[in-house]
Amino acid sequence: IAPLHDELTGVLDGLHLRYEIIYVDDGSRDGSAQRIIALAEAHPETVRVVLLRRNFGQTAAIQAGIDHAHGAIIALMDADLQNDPRDIPMMLEQMEREGYDLVSGWRKNRKDRALSRKLPSRVANRIISIVTGVHLHDYGCTLKAYDSEVAKNVDLYGELHRFIPAVASWMGVNIAEVPVNDRERRFGQSKYGIGRTFKVVLDLLTVSFFLSYGTRPSHIFGGIGIL
């Protein structure tokens, strides 16, 4: 947490913009909550803390952070230092210069293991792109920048955090994907395994239904009822 905060403040101070850092603790038991509370007490003008009572999962944690954010732009990232805070200014520049509503990170040179992480991820990204019609190389990268109006109008549950660009596309937003720096994991262990894939597939079906029939549910339910 200490090196993450140092990197974040170094980058954000250099932007010369008003900012807030929201740390979301997803029911951790390793002392992380106490550390981020100490940061908030030391820097009350820039640091805020959201504590979840138990481990609800990454999607719920992301939703909690979005719900508590006040900024016009919301940037999301993981806390394990694999996402590089130095990519944030580049993403903000893309939004300002090109008028994008959402800029999504692409870990082009990913540092994870090839067979257990990279290959399944590529297959999943390809399937998601085909099903949703939103063609991104890397749906799983948490590092993204959003117009707050977009982020706050996407309701998240299950494993839907990876599908935010697809759901946001239904709102008619402009989406860009940019290569970002993916760094070696320095702390902790990944919680993602093959079992998570089944949940992702189920949520993909949900997103596919939402994109196809979200504004006209009677077309499918009415058809089933008539049949």
Side-chain angles (χ1 to χ4, degrees):
I1 290 173
L4 169 66
H5 185 73
D6 290 342
E7 286 194 43
L8 275 172
T9 53
V11 169
L12 297 175
D13 285 341
L15 292 174
H16 305 293
L17 298 171
R18 292 179 60 191
Y19 69 85
E20 61 180 354
I21 299 173
I22 301 177
Y23 290 108
V24 182
D25 182 82
D26 188 25
S28 67
R29 300 180 179 180
D30 60 359
S32 294
Q34 289 71 29
R35 290 177 181 269
I36 58 177
I37 289 172
L39 282 175
E41 292 173 345
H43 308 282
E45 68 284 355
T46 56
V47 178
R48 300 171 61 211
V49 172
V50 177
L51 303 177
L52 303 186
R53 290 182 178 273
R54 65 173 178 82
N55 180 257
F56 287 94
Q58 187 173 4
T59 298
I62 287 175
Q63 182 70 71
I66 292 173
D67 289 343
H68 286 80
H70 293 121
I73 296 175
I74 300 173
L76 303 179
M77 63 179 295
D78 292 329
D80 57 12
L81 296 177
Q82 285 195 276
N83 293 148
D84 191 342
R86 291 175 295 182
D87 286 320
I88 293 176
M90 175 267 294
M91 302 177 91
L92 298 183
E93 183 181 354
Q94 285 281 332
M95 295 182 73
E96 182 178 3
R97 188 181 65 216
E98 304 294 338
Y100 290 112
D101 303 298
L102 192 165
V103 177
S104 182
W106 171 20
R107 296 164 295 180
K108 194 171 183 179
N109 297 308
R110 194 169 176 180
K111 299 299 189 296
D112 289 315
R113 294 185 296 272
L115 287 179
S116 62
R117 295 298 302 278
K118 291 167 71 172
L119 181 59
S121 179
R122 287 177 181 173
V123 173
N125 288 324
R126 181 61 177 162
I127 293 173
I128 294 171
S129 293
I130 292 173
V131 172
T132 64
V134 179
H135 299 282
L136 299 180
H137 295 88
D138 190 358
Y139 270 89
C141 181
T142 304
L143 182 57
K144 293 179 174 66
Y146 305 81
D147 181 287
S148 63
E149 183 179 353
V150 172
K152 288 182 177 292
N153 280 282
V154 176
D155 294 325
L156 301 177
Y157 53 88
E159 299 288 333
L160 285 188
H161 65 274
R162 69 181 65 248
F163 301 114
I164 295 177
V167 176
S169 70
W170 176 76
M171 302 165 58
V173 303
N174 296 318
I175 301 174
E177 185 177 42
V178 295
V180 295
N181 183 29
D182 183 54
R183 304 187 292 192
E184 295 282 356
R185 177 182 288 273
R186 292 169 55 187
F187 303 99
Q189 295 180 340
S190 173
K191 304 299 189 297
Y192 283 87
I194 193 66
R196 204 75 169 259
T197 303
F198 297 106
K199 296 180 181 179
V200 172
V201 169
L202 292 176
D203 283 329
L204 177 57
L205 294 176
T206 301
V207 171
S208 177
F209 172 83
F210 177 78
L211 294 176
S212 299
Y213 299 101
T215 57
R216 46 192 178 93
S218 62
H219 284 203
I220 185 169
F221 293 119
I224 293 174
I226 291 173
L227 182 61

